[in-house]
Amino acid sequence: SDYFEQLYQFAVQLIKQGDAYVCHQKKEQVKASRDALREAHHAHATSPPAAAVSPWRDTPPDVNLAKFEKMRTGQYDEGEACLRMKGDLMSDNPAMWDTAFYRIKFTPHPHSGDKWCIYPTYDYTHCVVDSLENITHSLCTLEFETRQAADGPYYWILDKLGRY
């Protein structure tokens, strides 16, 4: 919570660069899209099937900025929108398949109260906060192995933001 404003500004940067987008898929639709990607990978497809691509993935950055602002100001219901990375759908690492970065949650935060109704996900904040705090070595349990792999979102995010 000490970094909510900075995390928000970095998310805006990612949107402006075309590296993140606001998605309106429901949880079941995201699961179906990830299942389609798994099948495509098993079949050695060279491009993602249409069923695997969010209909909002190619929304222009200016529209995504407006939608992200609507998320921030509470104009969407919980579960109606989230901010996702625009990763590599054909990566062998499923953590790169457009992971969620922000979700809407109308629950006061213990430290910041009700100032925010969008909350960054661990997958997004982990690397950014490590960078802000000059953490040089991040040791995690194996459940985070794919996220911190060389081809995972941890380093992808830092690279896109021009951070260490």
Side-chain angles (χ1 to χ4, degrees), residues 34-83:
R34 293 176 79 73
D35 289 344
L37 281 171
R38 279 186 193 83
E39 290 175 23
H41 279 269
H42 291 311
H44 305 288
T46 57
S47 62
V53 181
S54 168
W56 292 276
R57 192 171 203 269
D58 293 322
T59 302
D62 60 324
V63 175
N64 280 314
L65 285 170
K67 288 181 173 193
F68 194 49
E69 179 63 13
K70 285 179 73 173
M71 285 177 63
R72 189 187 68 78
T73 57
Q75 296 179 53
Y76 289 121
D77 291 331
E78 288 184 24
E80 190 178 350
C82 71
L83 184 70

Coordinates of all heavy atoms in Angstrom, one line a residue, residues 34-83:
R34 N -7.5 -19.8 -21.6 CA -6.3 -20.4 -21.2 C -6.3 -21.9 -21.6 O -5.2 -22.5 -22.0 CB -6.0 -20.2 -19.7 CG -5.7 -18.7 -19.4 CD -5.5 -18.4 -17.9 NE -4.2 -18.8 -17.4 CZ -3.1 -18.1 -17.7 NH1 -3.1 -17.1 -18.5 NH2 -2.0 -18.5 -17.1
D35 N -7.4 -22.6 -21.4 CA -7.5 -24.0 -21.9 C -7.3 -24.1 -23.4 O -6.6 -25.0 -23.8 CB -8.9 -24.5 -21.5 CG -9.1 -24.8 -20.0 OD1 -8.1 -24.8 -19.3 OD2 -10.3 -24.9 -19.6
A36 N -7.8 -23.1 -24.2 CA -7.6 -23.1 -25.6 C -6.1 -23.0 -25.9 O -5.6 -23.6 -26.8 CB -8.4 -22.1 -26.3
L37 N -5.4 -22.1 -25.1 CA -4.0 -21.9 -25.3 C -3.2 -23.2 -25.0 O -2.3 -23.6 -25.7 CB -3.5 -20.8 -24.5 CG -3.8 -19.4 -25.0 CD1 -3.4 -18.3 -24.0 CD2 -3.0 -19.2 -26.3
R38 N -3.6 -23.9 -23.9 CA -2.9 -25.2 -23.6 C -3.1 -26.2 -24.7 O -2.1 -26.8 -25.1 CB -3.5 -25.7 -22.3 CG -2.9 -25.1 -21.1 CD -3.4 -25.8 -19.8 NE -3.1 -25.0 -18.6 CZ -3.8 -23.9 -18.2 NH1 -4.9 -23.6 -18.8 NH2 -3.4 -23.2 -17.2
E39 N -4.3 -26.3 -25.2 CA -4.5 -27.2 -26.4 C -3.7 -26.8 -27.6 O -3.1 -27.6 -28.3 CB -6.0 -27.2 -26.7 CG -6.9 -27.9 -25.7 CD -8.4 -27.8 -26.0 OE1 -8.7 -27.6 -27.2 OE2 -9.2 -27.9 -25.0
A40 N -3.6 -25.5 -27.9 CA -2.8 -25.0 -29.0 C -1.4 -25.4 -28.8 O -0.7 -25.8 -29.8 CB -3.0 -23.5 -29.2
H41 N -0.9 -25.2 -27.6 CA 0.5 -25.5 -27.4 C 0.8 -27.0 -27.5 O 1.8 -27.4 -28.1 CB 0.9 -25.0 -26.0 CG 1.3 -23.6 -26.0 ND1 2.5 -23.1 -26.2 CD2 0.5 -22.5 -25.8 CE1 2.5 -21.8 -26.1 NE2 1.3 -21.4 -25.9
H42 N -0.1 -27.8 -27.0 CA 0.0 -29.3 -27.2 C 0.0 -29.7 -28.6 O 0.6 -30.7 -29.0 CB -1.0 -30.1 -26.4 CG -0.9 -29.9 -24.9 ND1 0.3 -30.2 -24.2 CD2 -1.8 -29.6 -23.9 CE1 0.2 -30.0 -22.9 NE2 -1.1 -29.6 -22.7
A43 N -0.8 -29.0 -29.4 CA -0.9 -29.3 -30.9 C 0.3 -28.6 -31.7 O 0.3 -28.7 -32.9 CB -2.2 -28.8 -31.4
H44 N 1.2 -27.9 -31.0 CA 2.3 -27.2 -31.6 C 1.8 -26.1 -32.6 O 2.4 -26.0 -33.7 CB 3.3 -28.2 -32.3 CG 3.8 -29.2 -31.4 ND1 4.7 -29.0 -30.4 CD2 3.5 -30.6 -31.3 CE1 4.9 -30.1 -29.7 NE2 4.2 -31.1 -30.2
A45 N 0.7 -25.5 -32.3 CA 0.2 -24.4 -33.1 C 1.3 -23.2 -33.2 O 2.1 -23.1 -32.3 CB -1.1 -23.8 -32.6
T46 N 1.3 -22.5 -34.2 CA 2.2 -21.4 -34.4 C 1.6 -20.0 -34.1 O 2.3 -19.0 -34.0 CB 2.8 -21.3 -35.8 OG1 1.7 -21.3 -36.7 CG2 3.6 -22.6 -36.1
S47 N 0.3 -20.0 -33.9 CA -0.4 -18.8 -33.5 C -1.6 -19.2 -32.6 O -2.1 -20.3 -32.6 CB -0.9 -18.0 -34.7 OG -1.8 -18.8 -35.4
P48 N -2.0 -18.2 -31.7 CA -3.0 -18.5 -30.8 C -4.4 -18.7 -31.5 O -4.7 -17.9 -32.4 CB -3.1 -17.4 -29.8 CG -2.4 -16.3 -30.5 CD -1.5 -16.9 -31.5
P49 N -5.2 -19.6 -31.1 CA -6.6 -19.7 -31.7 C -7.4 -18.5 -31.3 O -7.2 -17.9 -30.2 CB -7.1 -21.0 -31.1 CG -6.3 -21.3 -29.8 CD -5.0 -20.6 -30.0
A50 N -8.4 -18.2 -32.1 CA -9.2 -17.1 -31.8 C -9.9 -17.2 -30.4 O -10.0 -16.1 -29.8 CB -10.3 -16.9 -32.9
A51 N -10.2 -18.4 -30.0 CA -10.9 -18.6 -28.7 C -10.0 -18.2 -27.6 O -10.5 -18.1 -26.4 CB -11.4 -20.0 -28.6
A52 N -8.7 -18.1 -27.8 CA -7.7 -17.8 -26.7 C -7.4 -16.3 -26.6 O -6.8 -16.0 -25.6 CB -6.4 -18.6 -27.0
V53 N -7.9 -15.5 -27.5 CA -7.6 -14.1 -27.5 C -8.7 -13.3 -26.9 O -9.8 -13.4 -27.5 CB -7.2 -13.6 -28.9 CG1 -6.8 -12.2 -28.9 CG2 -6.0 -14.5 -29.5
S54 N -8.5 -12.5 -25.9 CA -9.5 -11.6 -25.4 C -10.0 -10.7 -26.5 O -9.2 -10.1 -27.2 CB -9.0 -10.8 -24.2 OG -9.9 -9.8 -23.9
P55 N -11.3 -10.5 -26.6 CA -11.8 -9.5 -27.6 C -11.4 -8.1 -27.3 O -11.5 -7.2 -28.2 CB -13.3 -9.6 -27.4 CG -13.6 -10.7 -26.5 CD -12.4 -11.2 -25.9
W56 N -10.8 -7.8 -26.1 CA -10.4 -6.5 -25.7 C -8.9 -6.3 -25.8 O -8.4 -5.2 -25.6 CB -10.9 -6.1 -24.3 CG -12.4 -6.0 -24.3 CD1 -13.1 -4.9 -24.6 CD2 -13.3 -7.0 -24.0 NE1 -14.4 -5.1 -24.5 CE2 -14.6 -6.4 -24.1 CE3 -13.2 -8.3 -23.6 CZ2 -15.8 -7.1 -23.8 CZ3 -14.4 -9.0 -23.3 CH2 -15.6 -8.4 -23.5
R57 N -8.2 -7.3 -26.3 CA -6.7 -7.3 -26.3 C -6.1 -6.2 -27.2 O -5.1 -5.6 -26.9 CB -6.2 -8.7 -26.7 CG -4.7 -8.9 -26.5 CD -4.3 -10.3 -26.8 NE -3.1 -10.7 -26.1 CZ -1.9 -10.5 -26.6 NH1 -1.8 -10.1 -27.9 NH2 -0.8 -10.9 -25.9
D58 N -6.8 -5.9 -28.3 CA -6.3 -4.9 -29.2 C -6.9 -3.6 -29.1 O -6.9 -2.8 -30.1 CB -6.3 -5.5 -30.6 CG -5.4 -6.7 -30.8 OD1 -4.3 -6.6 -30.3 OD2 -5.8 -7.6 -31.5
T59 N -7.6 -3.3 -28.0 CA -8.2 -2.0 -27.8 C -7.0 -0.9 -27.8 O -6.0 -1.2 -27.1 CB -8.9 -2.0 -26.4 OG1 -9.9 -3.0 -26.5 CG2 -9.6 -0.6 -26.2
P60 N -7.2 0.2 -28.4 CA -6.2 1.2 -28.4 C -5.8 1.7 -27.0 O -6.7 1.8 -26.2 CB -6.8 2.3 -29.3 CG -7.9 1.7 -30.1 CD -8.4 0.6 -29.2
P61 N -4.6 2.2 -26.8 CA -4.1 2.6 -25.5 C -5.0 3.8 -25.0 O -5.3 3.8 -23.8 CB -2.7 3.1 -25.8 CG -2.2 2.2 -26.9 CD -3.4 2.0 -27.8
D62 N -5.4 4.7 -25.8 CA -6.2 5.8 -25.3 C -7.6 5.4 -24.7 O -8.0 5.9 -23.7 CB -6.4 6.9 -26.3 CG -7.1 6.4 -27.6 OD1 -6.9 5.3 -28.0 OD2 -7.9 7.2 -28.2
V63 N -8.2 4.4 -25.3 CA -9.4 3.8 -24.8 C -9.1 3.0 -23.5 O -9.9 3.1 -22.6 CB -10.1 2.9 -25.9 CG1 -11.3 2.2 -25.3 CG2 -10.4 3.7 -27.1
N64 N -8.0 2.3 -23.5 CA -7.7 1.6 -22.3 C -7.4 2.5 -21.1 O -7.7 2.2 -20.0 CB -6.5 0.7 -22.5 CG -6.8 -0.6 -23.2 OD1 -7.8 -1.3 -22.8 ND2 -6.1 -1.0 -24.2
L65 N -6.8 3.7 -21.4 CA -6.5 4.6 -20.3 C -7.8 5.1 -19.8 O -8.0 5.3 -18.5 CB -5.7 5.8 -20.9 CG -4.2 5.6 -21.1 CD1 -3.6 6.7 -21.9 CD2 -3.5 5.3 -19.8
A66 N -8.8 5.4 -20.6 CA -10.1 5.9 -20.2 C -10.8 4.8 -19.3 O -11.4 5.1 -18.3 CB -11.0 6.3 -21.4
K67 N -10.7 3.6 -19.8 CA -11.3 2.5 -19.0 C -10.6 2.2 -17.7 O -11.3 1.9 -16.7 CB -11.3 1.2 -19.9 CG -12.2 1.2 -21.0 CD -12.1 -0.2 -21.8 CE -13.2 -0.3 -22.8 NZ -13.2 -1.7 -23.3
F68 N -9.3 2.3 -17.7 CA -8.6 2.2 -16.4 C -8.9 3.3 -15.4 O -9.1 3.0 -14.2 CB -7.0 2.1 -16.7 CG -6.2 1.6 -15.6 CD1 -6.5 0.5 -14.9 CD2 -5.1 2.3 -15.2 CE1 -5.8 0.0 -13.8 CE2 -4.3 1.9 -14.1 CZ -4.6 0.7 -13.4
E69 N -9.1 4.5 -15.9 CA -9.6 5.6 -15.1 C -11.0 5.2 -14.5 O -11.3 5.5 -13.4 CB -9.6 6.9 -15.9 CG -10.1 8.1 -15.0 CD -9.2 8.4 -13.8 OE1 -8.1 7.9 -13.7 OE2 -9.7 9.2 -13.0
K70 N -11.9 4.7 -15.4 CA -13.2 4.3 -14.9 C -13.0 3.2 -13.8 O -13.8 3.2 -12.8 CB -14.0 3.8 -16.0 CG -14.6 4.9 -16.9 CD -15.4 4.3 -18.1 CE -16.7 3.8 -17.6 NZ -17.6 3.4 -18.7
M71 N -12.1 2.3 -14.0 CA -11.8 1.3 -12.9 C -11.4 2.0 -11.6 O -12.0 1.7 -10.6 CB -10.7 0.3 -13.4 CG -11.1 -0.7 -14.4 SD -9.7 -1.8 -14.9 CE -9.3 -2.6 -13.4
R72 N -10.5 2.9 -11.7 CA -9.9 3.6 -10.6 C -11.0 4.4 -9.8 O -11.0 4.5 -8.6 CB -8.8 4.5 -11.0 CG -8.0 5.1 -9.8 CD -7.0 6.1 -10.2 NE -7.6 7.3 -10.7 CZ -8.2 8.3 -10.0 NH1 -8.2 8.2 -8.7 NH2 -8.7 9.4 -10.6
T73 N -11.9 5.0 -10.6 CA -12.9 5.8 -9.9 C -14.2 5.0 -9.6 O -15.2 5.7 -9.3 CB -13.3 7.0 -10.9 OG1 -13.7 6.5 -12.1 CG2 -12.1 7.9 -11.0
G74 N -14.2 3.7 -9.7 CA -15.3 2.9 -9.2 C -16.5 2.9 -10.1 O -17.6 2.6 -9.7
Q75 N -16.3 3.1 -11.4 CA -17.4 3.1 -12.4 C -17.7 1.7 -13.0 O -18.6 1.6 -13.8 CB -17.1 4.1 -13.5 CG -17.0 5.5 -13.0 CD -16.7 6.5 -14.1 OE1 -17.4 6.6 -15.1 NE2 -15.7 7.3 -13.9
Y76 N -16.9 0.7 -12.6 CA -17.2 -0.6 -13.0 C -17.5 -1.4 -11.7 O -16.9 -1.1 -10.6 CB -16.0 -1.3 -13.7 CG -15.7 -0.8 -15.1 CD1 -14.5 -0.2 -15.4 CD2 -16.7 -0.9 -16.1 CE1 -14.2 0.2 -16.7 CE2 -16.4 -0.5 -17.4 CZ -15.1 0.1 -17.7 OH -14.8 0.5 -18.9
D77 N -18.3 -2.5 -11.8 CA -18.5 -3.4 -10.7 C -17.3 -4.3 -10.5 O -16.6 -4.5 -11.5 CB -19.8 -4.2 -10.9 CG -21.0 -3.3 -10.8 OD1 -21.0 -2.3 -10.1 OD2 -22.0 -3.7 -11.5
E78 N -17.2 -4.9 -9.4 CA -16.2 -6.0 -9.2 C -16.4 -7.1 -10.2 O -17.6 -7.5 -10.4 CB -16.3 -6.6 -7.7 CG -15.8 -5.6 -6.7 CD -15.9 -6.3 -5.3 OE1 -15.8 -7.5 -5.2 OE2 -15.9 -5.5 -4.3
G79 N -15.3 -7.5 -10.8 CA -15.4 -8.6 -11.8 C -15.8 -8.1 -13.2 O -15.8 -8.9 -14.1
E80 N -16.2 -6.8 -13.3 CA -16.6 -6.3 -14.6 C -15.4 -6.0 -15.5 O -15.5 -6.0 -16.8 CB -17.5 -5.1 -14.4 CG -18.2 -4.7 -15.7 CD -19.1 -3.5 -15.5 OE1 -19.4 -3.1 -14.3 OE2 -19.6 -2.9 -16.5
A81 N -14.3 -5.7 -14.9 CA -13.1 -5.3 -15.7 C -11.8 -5.6 -14.9 O -11.9 -5.5 -13.6 CB -13.1 -3.8 -16.0
C82 N -10.8 -5.8 -15.6 CA -9.5 -6.0 -14.9 C -8.4 -5.5 -15.9 O -8.7 -5.4 -17.1 CB -9.2 -7.4 -14.5 SG -8.9 -8.6 -15.8
L83 N -7.3 -5.1 -15.4 CA -6.1 -4.8 -16.2 C -5.3 -6.0 -16.4 O -4.9 -6.6 -15.4 CB -5.3 -3.6 -15.6 CG -4.2 -3.1 -16.5 CD1 -4.7 -2.3 -17.7 CD2 -3.2 -2.2 -15.7

